Amino acid sequence: MSKLTPTSTDPSLSDSVSPARASSPAATTSSNEFPPPARPPQTFQERIAVIGTGGETHQQAKPGDPVLTTANGMPVADGQNSLKVGPRGPVTLNDFQLREKIFHFDHERIPERVVHARGYGAHGYFETYDSAADLTSADIFARPGERTPAFVRFSTVAGNKGSADMVRDVRGFAVKLYTQQGNWDLVGNNIPVFFIQDAGKFPDLAHAVKAAPDREFPQAASAHDNFWDFVSLLPESTHMLMWQMSDRTLPRSFRFMEGFGVHTFRMLNAQGDSQYVKFHWKPKQGLQSVMWAEAVRINGADPDFHRRDLWDAISVGDYPEWELSVQVFNEDFADKYPFDILDSTKLIPEELVPLRPLGRLVLNRTVDNFFAETEQVAFCTQNIVPGMDFTNDPLLAGRNFSYLDTQLKRLGSPNFTQLPINAPKCPFGNFEQDGHMSYRVPTGRANYEPNSWSGDAAAPREDPTTGFREFAQNEAGQQRRVRPEKFADHFSQARQFLVSQTVVEQAHMVDAFVFELSKVETLQIRERVLSNLRNAHEEFAQKIADGLGMTELPAASVAAAPLTPVPPSASLSIIANPPVNFSGRKVGVLISDGADAPTLAALQTSVDAEGAALELVALRIGGVQLNDTKTMAAHKTIAGGPSVLFDAIALVVSKEGAAELSLNAAAIDWIRDAHAHCKMIGYTTDGLDLLNTAGVAVDGGYANLDEDTSLYVNLCREGRFWERDTTPATYGVAEPLVDTDSDTTAEAAIATPQPSKKKTAKK
Ligand code: HDE
């Protein structure tokens, strides 16, 4: 095959390219001047023919093509050369074209977000199910079937803008809904609780988790002294740490994670009745994460794994969807619930307050330009709409200040609301004016209200019927810096999360704590973490200590409050809520010369029928010759497409192909990794030798493809073959860790809190 070159393949290039001729005799001159023309160019034709001989590429517009211009719209004749005095002479200061281009380039960057810097966005819509008018007067929930435009930005928290996607981190799940009553920003995370109870601690948390100020590392990682030092001194973070050390922080992709509003909000109906709500997004694709060993390799193989996944899925029309639900509860529930509903380190299990679905979010359009949309989108938690209100969650108050303030810093002007991605899509008007980069052109004489102008000068007026009204909350009390007593139980829900996990998930959590704490160099910090964990679950703490090789478990810290009995909640586990099908996933198929063409075709059909994707991996990107003599090009080489990039793998190889691949270390790793990561593996009988060489034993997670490829896809629907996972054995989590201390029936959790029988301070 001939080597592809831009000029030979891209007609848009080859048509318009006119390279300055290096073969011209003048190319050899060392003169500082063009070869002296017989007379200076005079006609238009002569002037445009003046072109140097330096060999650079000129792509010139043909009639009807868009013309390159300056920012002011002036057409550019030559975009390749600065203005010089003679071809080798000094560049002149009057080259305004050059100055403008470089000036603009110098100002391309805006400050990245302090946290959540790395993110990826997409457009879509929210579709309302039934009217929720009984609950809220918010217009977005008024009419069944109505679609509201939406923009979503997913993110990591700790890493800088250029960090890798698959780090162990909380994911941001920020949604802007362009409703008919203004933009509603639901700025949530993929975890329903948070590290801290007071907004004032947020800068400390962000400083502690991000790179240390002296050495500026580690990047996008919590496995270091500063993070664990800080959280170990903040026992309120224990519940969130359990989530963070679980597979929740390693989502398979944005499409397979949940979202949560975290705080308790209010909804108000037209009669002014108010209820508390907590927001949940459930992925219709299912909930799925990867294993830590896999995540580490994915970051090397494809640091853009999550953003590429979203881009690819939307590009092929496989639009991801989430269902928005609310947990609705009233003051009475709030009073009885053992935890404070204003405390963002606590959740309300779905078993206690079931989800009420309100509608679905569909992402169906990638951005046209990353900067203009994903980078410039400015989410503000203060952006709510009539029919909703905040509660006194002390985190929320801090956030309502922080987001507006940070947008001014990032985007440089209070007029960031006028940017297309941020502007409301409903009619709007007010008397805010001027400021940097104001590009709205207000008309009329009135720029104040009240005013008595009318007619052409008519200005917007307030509307007591549809306008935003706060919930008339009674407030009284001393103005003090105190934390409510009901916030003090730091460990009960941490334990609840742990005992709600399957054995495999619990083992992964032990593994994650051991990994992170093994990176902590200061022994006292490790010990302090374990002191806190003992309060959540003694046996769990012991297993971590064993994993760290700690000879003695440190004394438990003094818990600020006795533990409350709470039952396990199945909805907190990923594995207990397996995906319903294999749709939207990706199979990697290793192929070799002589591989059976009908088997490959049948596999493709089965995978297509499931709504999944298939990528071919081979020794050479040019592909292989199948046994029907047809050449099949590969999507990836083995090195360029390691098995961590796929949800399941298959080998469709011939005997000779298996022999050749057996000699290839990358091919062996490809199989071993997939096996170790508990992936489903399809194989042809001819590939058995290759499996043997890789040293993997065929188990219940394997399917022979020779007869029926649909059986393999059925197997893939189950997700992973967890029986193969060695983590539980490594950390001695043979039996699930349970709550041996509490009476944990669902009713018990809502009843008056009972102090646990467990002693809270141990020597
Ligand atoms: Fe944020 N957070 N946050 N946060 N947060 C920001 O705003 C802040 C918190 C969340 O894709 C910043 O525009 C404070 C909880 C997401 O653009 C900043 C506190 C939750 C995003 C900020 C919190 C979040 C941010 C930085 C403690 C889950 C990305 C850039 C009171 C419910 C939004 C920016 C996007 C971003 C402040 C806690 C989610 C600095 C002070 C809890 C998803 O304003």
Side-chain angles (χ1 to χ4, degrees):
M1 199 201 297
S2 69
K3 198 170 167 234
L4 302 182
T5 62
T7 43
S8 68
T9 54
D10 184 344
S12 64
L13 285 180
S14 53
D15 280 4
S16 55
V17 165
S18 63
R21 276 172 298 115
S23 59
S24 149
T28 56
T29 179
S30 61
S31 151
N32 203 22
E33 298 294 333
F34 288 110
R39 59 178 172 81
Q42 279 161 3
T43 66
F44 179 71
Q45 285 308 329
E46 281 171 353
R47 275 191 285 123
I48 64 170
V50 172
I51 197 164
T53 49
E56 77 280 3
T57 302
H58 288 273
Q59 290 181 294
Q60 291 161 345
K62 297 193 298 304
D65 283 353
V67 170
L68 182 71
T69 74
T70 62
N72 267 327
M74 185 205 76
V76 170
D78 180 342
Q80 316 309 317
N81 294 296
S82 313
L83 186 62
K84 296 186 279 293
V85 181
R88 299 181 61 245
V91 172
T92 68
L93 193 58
N94 58 341
D95 186 350
F96 62 90
Q97 239 175 261
L98 172 74
R99 289 196 328 260
E100 180 201 276
K101 189 171 179 183
I102 291 194
F103 145 82
H104 198 278
F105 172 75
D106 292 347
H107 296 268
E108 270 179 13
R109 290 290 174 275
I110 61 172
E112 66 174 36
R113 290 161 171 85
V114 198
V115 283
H116 295 264
R118 179 156 180 93
Y120 209 61
H123 296 270
Y125 61 85
F126 176 80
E127 189 175 81
T128 306
Y129 290 161
D130 298 321
S131 164
D134 60 312
L135 188 59
T136 173
S137 60
D139 184 74
I140 181 173
F141 300 119
R143 292 166 295 278
E146 185 165 296
R147 290 185 175 184
T148 301
F151 185 79
V152 178
R153 184 175 179 273
F154 301 109
S155 49
T156 56
V157 179
N160 291 352
K161 195 165 173 270
S163 53
D165 277 348
M166 193 54 102
V167 292
R168 177 178 295 283
D169 200 356
V170 182
R171 298 300 185 289
F173 193 127
V175 185
K176 192 179 277 292
L177 294 150
Y178 304 89
T179 87
Q180 285 307 305
Q181 286 177 319
N183 292 350
W184 170 32
D185 293 354
L186 183 53
V187 195
N189 279 344
N190 74 329
I191 288 179
V193 289
F194 203 62
F195 293 97
I196 51 171
Q197 295 173 326
D198 189 289
K201 299 319 297 165
F202 190 70
D204 299 305
L205 171 70
H207 290 173
V209 72
K210 292 190 78 125
D214 53 355
R215 60 208 71 185
E216 180 65 1
F217 62 79
Q219 173 63 231
S222 53
H224 55 98
D225 284 51
N226 277 10
F227 175 73
W228 287 98
D229 183 33
F230 177 70
V231 291
S232 67
L233 294 167
L234 235 73
E236 74 206 48
S237 66
T238 311
H239 185 196
M240 181 69 169
L241 289 174
M242 292 287 196
W243 283 81
Q244 203 195 349
M245 293 302 112
S246 79
D247 294 345
R248 291 271 178 167
T249 43
L250 306 171
R252 153 66 175 80
S253 88
F254 301 134
R255 295 185 295 139
F256 300 104
M257 63 187 203
E258 296 181 331
F260 302 91
V262 177
H263 314 281
T264 300
F265 290 86
R266 273 187 189 281
M267 279 192 162
L268 295 100
N269 64 17
Q271 292 74 45
D273 303 329
S274 159
Q275 306 261 36
Y276 290 118
V277 292
K278 277 186 175 282
F279 293 104
H280 294 244
W281 295 105
K282 293 265 187 209
K284 293 223 175 146
Q285 298 70 233
L287 193 54
Q288 189 182 326
S289 284
V290 302
M291 294 170 74
W292 172 244
E294 212 181 337
V296 174
R297 287 169 179 73
I298 291 174
N299 277 339
D302 184 3
D304 304 310
F305 190 67
H306 282 163
R307 54 175 61 185
R308 191 189 306 281
D309 174 271
L310 189 64
W311 176 274
D312 286 351
I314 295 176
S315 301
V316 299
D318 186 9
Y319 303 140
E321 270 188 54
W322 287 261
E323 183 165 79
L324 177 68
S325 298
V326 274
Q327 286 178 296
V328 185
F329 53 97
N330 57 20
E331 209 70 59
D332 188 43
F333 174 93
D335 290 344
K336 289 203 185 116
Y337 193 50
F339 309 103
D340 200 317
I341 57 128
L342 300 182
D343 175 359
S344 280
T345 66
K346 309 292 185 329
L347 52 76
I348 303 176
E350 289 172 29
E351 289 80 0
L352 271 187
V353 180
L355 302 189
R356 170 174 168 179
L358 295 179
R360 67 186 184 120
L361 170 76
V362 179
L363 295 183
N364 61 359
R365 185 159 62 85
T366 54
V367 294
D368 289 322
N369 182 274
F370 179 86
F371 180 82
E373 297 168 277
T374 310
E375 198 58 12
Q376 292 200 122
V377 66
F379 294 97
C380 291
T381 52
Q382 65 172 26
N383 290 353
I384 54 170
V385 289
M388 300 179 190
D389 204 354
F390 309 113
T391 57
N392 285 343
D393 179 336
L395 277 193
L396 196 46
R399 294 183 76 198
N400 287 344
F401 162 71
S402 178
Y403 289 66
L404 182 63
D405 186 45
T406 209
Q407 308 313 351
L408 181 61
K409 169 75 185 169
R410 284 198 319 115
L411 297 160
S413 159
N415 293 319
F416 69 84
T417 52
Q418 295 181 26
L419 293 170
I421 193 69
N422 295 322
K425 296 191 195 296
C426 62
F428 64 98
N430 56 45
F431 302 102
E432 292 166 11
Q433 67 169 37
D434 303 351
H436 283 294
M437 297 292 154
S438 178
Y439 61 87
R440 242 187 19 229
V441 184
T443 54
R445 181 166 183 175
N447 57 355
Y448 56 92
E449 54 106 21
N451 63 63
S452 59
W453 302 107
S454 59
D456 286 349
R461 302 275 192 254
E462 60 190 31
D463 182 347
T465 331
T466 62
F468 179 81
R469 287 202 188 267
E470 290 78 9
F471 175 70
Q473 169 104 22
N474 287 325
E475 303 289 6
Q478 292 175 352
Q479 184 170 287
R480 289 175 61 194
R481 294 182 186 274
V482 283
R483 212 169 277 198
E485 201 182 329
K486 233 176 152 184
F487 278 38
D489 180 347
H490 301 146
F491 302 112
S492 299
Q493 288 207 345
R495 175 193 296 192
Q496 179 183 40
F497 180 77
L498 175 73
V499 300
S500 302
Q501 307 300 308
T502 61
V503 172
V504 165
E505 289 165 308
Q506 289 175 344
H508 288 182
M509 289 171 70
V510 177
D511 193 20
F513 270 104
V514 170
F515 173 85
E516 298 258 325
L517 294 178
S518 75
K519 299 277 179 183
V520 169
E521 290 160 3
T522 313
L523 181 61
Q524 292 90 319
I525 298 177
R526 282 188 215 153
E527 289 176 343
R528 215 182 303 127
V529 174
L530 283 160
S531 300
N532 286 336
L533 286 179
R534 282 189 74 173
N535 288 315
H537 201 283
E538 188 75 30
E539 214 184 324
F540 182 63
Q542 183 64 58
K543 290 196 189 304
I544 297 167
D546 292 347
L548 288 166
M550 215 178 242
T551 43
E552 213 182 327
L553 203 54
S557 60
V558 177
L563 267 71
T564 309
V566 274
S569 159
S571 59
L572 303 180
S573 154
I574 299 176
I575 296 182
N577 298 284
V580 286
N581 56 36
F582 193 59
S583 168
R585 277 47 170 207
K586 201 184 265 185
V587 181
V589 185
L590 185 60
I591 50 173
S592 74
D593 281 332
D596 188 47
T599 306
L600 192 58
L603 182 60
Q604 177 81 64
T605 309
S606 304
V607 170
D608 285 351
E610 186 71 6
L614 183 149
E615 281 191 356
L616 300 175
V617 179
L619 273 175
R620 285 165 280 273
I621 194 72
V624 299
Q625 203 174 42
L626 301 180
N627 63 357
D628 63 357
T629 72
K630 290 213 180 85
T631 298
M632 182 61 81
H635 295 95
K636 291 186 165 80
T637 61
I638 301 174
S643 59
V644 289
L645 300 182
F646 305 106
D647 296 284
I649 65 155
L651 317 179
V652 180
V653 295
S654 62
K655 250 196 155 13
E656 300 70 34
E660 188 187 11
L661 288 163
S662 294
L663 304 173
N664 184 286
I668 299 301
D669 283 349
W670 202 82
I671 297 164
R672 277 193 188 153
D673 279 352
H675 182 88
H677 302 148
C678 307
K679 289 182 180 164
M680 302 303 182
I681 300 181
Y683 64 97
T684 49
T685 307
D686 284 346
L688 274 172
D689 288 348
L690 183 54
L691 294 177
N692 284 338
T693 313
V696 295
V698 172
D699 57 26
Y702 281 71
N704 191 303
L705 300 169
D706 288 341
E707 277 169 21
D708 189 352
T709 50
S710 62
L711 295 179
Y712 165 68
V713 174
N714 288 349
L715 196 61
C716 290
R717 282 190 195 145
E718 290 169 29
R720 301 285 170 108
F721 188 69
W722 291 119
E723 289 88 326
R724 205 189 288 146
D725 190 3
T726 54
T727 328
T730 311
Y731 292 100
V733 194
E735 294 296 323
L737 298 167
V738 292
D739 185 350
T740 47
D741 290 356
S742 315
D743 166 17
T744 53
T745 55
E747 298 76 55
I750 191 101
T752 324
Q754 301 283 319
S756 154
K757 283 173 263 148
K758 181 182 166 80
K759 285 202 191 69
T760 50
K762 291 203 176 73
K763 283 272 146 3

